[in-house]
Amino acid sequence: MTGHPIPVIIDCDTGVDDALALLFAVRHPGLDLRAVTCVAGNTDVDGVVHNTLTVLEQAGAPDIPVARGAERPLIEPARSARHVHGVDGMGDLGLPAPRRGRAAVDAVTLLYREILGSPTPVTLIPTAPLTNIALLLRTHPEVTRNIERIVFMGGAVATGNATPVAEFNVWHDPEAAAILLGAGVPITMYGLDVFTRVVVPGADVRRLRASKEPGTRLAGELLAHRPSAPDPDGDDPAGGLGDAGAVCAVADPAGIGTRLLPVEVSLAPGPTRGQTIVDRRARHGESEIHHGAREPALVDVALEVDVDRYVKLYLETVERR
């Protein structure tokens, strides 16, 4: 590693895999986690704040400021994913309550303060519905002058999970995602096309779960809660990194293969609402010929990922003493 750590802010809806992302971010020497902001998504926003504070304490990073953000999308009602992440959003692991409270300011204020107060441009890593980021961009558009890049976990080129074509974070607040894409800063989309592929083998999950160090052990418990593939040796399931892969992509961008492509969000009611429409065509088609070309945002879309590289990176980082 050369140079100074990258200043980053994570906007999350903690969440099992958001927790995995936080554990990685606080332990990677190339990242300087300045703040964490919370939004409704996997569970309600107060549960997200509670989970985030707990994870940071378990990771040995209790001083990072955590702020409460939007409790619902810009237009839609809040719709949780407790069926995936457990009633408490954290796999119902029975973790101890955090010993400290959240920041005295709201998420937008904390984002504004930390971004413009940073001596070097900040990288934003949203791993959640993008409501907080949209509110920030609409309230304080001047923050873009000190944002290096936004690397967001969301969207899909091919298959969705919330619907056949829409990924959960974008589907939860499509208008917010559309605002983010128009931010005018470099954007990387770490979507389902790579999200689902980075899986930690069961033997490694077992090793993490057996650790005496609280943060490392928590990573193992969380991975065990989100099985993604059968373990080759027939014991414990392997665990998907999920959102944590987006943070890996900030620490080690060479681990993903991206293409700069036009991306827009479907906002119309119906079965395509929340779809990220990624234009991979070599040339315009009849629609543009007859009706004029659209000008969606150009986004670095992750299409390939070096799975072994990111698994190794994640394990080495969360087991760091």
Side-chain angles (χ1 to χ4, degrees):
M1 184 186 67
T2 60
H4 298 288
I6 301 167
V8 301
I9 298 173
I10 291 179
D11 183 74
C12 58
D13 58 342
T14 315
V16 172
D17 52 343
D18 304 81
L20 290 167
L22 291 170
L23 289 166
F24 177 86
V26 299
R27 294 195 170 181
H28 193 283
L31 302 178
D32 177 13
L33 182 59
R34 300 287 181 84
V36 181
T37 50
C38 301
V39 66
N42 289 325
T43 189
D44 64 274
V45 70
D46 291 317
V48 171
V49 171
H50 179 280
N51 293 343
T52 300
L53 291 167
T54 295
V55 171
L56 292 176
E57 287 188 7
Q58 294 290 307
D63 298 327
I64 295 170
V66 173
R68 182 186 191 273
E71 62 183 44
R72 54 165 290 174
L74 299 177
I75 295 175
E76 300 277 8
R79 297 162 292 183
S80 78
R82 290 191 179 97
H83 59 288
V84 175
H85 295 266
V87 174
D88 67 356
M90 279 280 286
D92 299 320
L93 295 176
L95 297 171
R99 290 169 289 183
R100 66 164 174 135
R102 58 183 170 88
V105 297
D106 63 273
V108 170
T109 301
L110 184 62
L111 286 162
Y112 173 80
R113 185 178 75 192
E114 292 294 331
I115 292 169
L116 290 187
S118 175
T120 55
V122 172
T123 296
L124 293 184
I125 314 175
T127 61
L130 295 153
T131 317
N132 285 343
I133 306 304
L135 291 170
L136 171 72
L137 293 169
R138 283 293 187 259
T139 308
H140 303 291
E142 66 272 22
V143 297
T144 58
R145 69 173 183 254
N146 210 35
I147 294 176
E148 180 73 24
R149 177 174 287 273
I150 299 174
V151 179
F152 78 100
M153 189 283 116
V157 177
T159 305
N161 56 4
T163 77
V165 295
E167 177 274 331
F168 174 81
N169 286 342
V170 175
W171 169 84
H172 194 266
D173 196 341
E175 283 74 20
I179 290 170
L180 175 136
L181 292 181
V185 300
I187 295 173
T188 298
M189 181 176 118
Y190 187 93
L192 290 180
D193 312 276
V194 289
F195 172 98
T196 56
R197 293 169 56 188
V198 187
V199 177
V200 178
D204 294 309
V205 174
R206 287 199 302 277
R207 186 181 70 255
L208 297 179
R209 295 179 79 183
S211 174
K212 292 182 169 28
E213 198 282 315
T216 303
R217 185 169 62 252
L218 177 58
E221 296 293 345
L222 293 166
L223 285 164
H225 180 77
R226 45 179 298 112
S228 295
D231 185 12
D233 65 12
D235 290 329
D236 295 333
L241 280 186
D243 291 343
V247 190
C248 291
V250 175
D252 181 16
I256 55 172
T258 65
R259 285 180 59 193
L260 189 65
L261 295 167
V263 180
E264 57 186 312
V265 180
S266 174
L267 301 179
T272 66
R273 180 165 169 78
Q275 179 182 12
T276 43
I277 303 164
V278 180
D279 189 351
R280 292 181 287 173
R281 296 174 299 171
R283 59 182 182 272
H284 289 316
E286 284 72 19
S287 175
E288 290 82 8
I289 292 169
H290 292 288
H291 302 293
R294 301 172 64 85
E295 296 184 3
L298 292 174
V299 174
D300 286 305
V301 179
L303 299 173
E304 301 293 337
V305 61
D306 187 332
V307 173
D308 292 340
R309 179 176 180 139
Y310 276 2
V311 169
K312 181 174 184 287
L313 173 65
Y314 189 84
L315 293 172
E316 288 178 347
T317 300
V318 297
E319 293 182 277
R320 187 181 301 273
R321 295 293 186 266

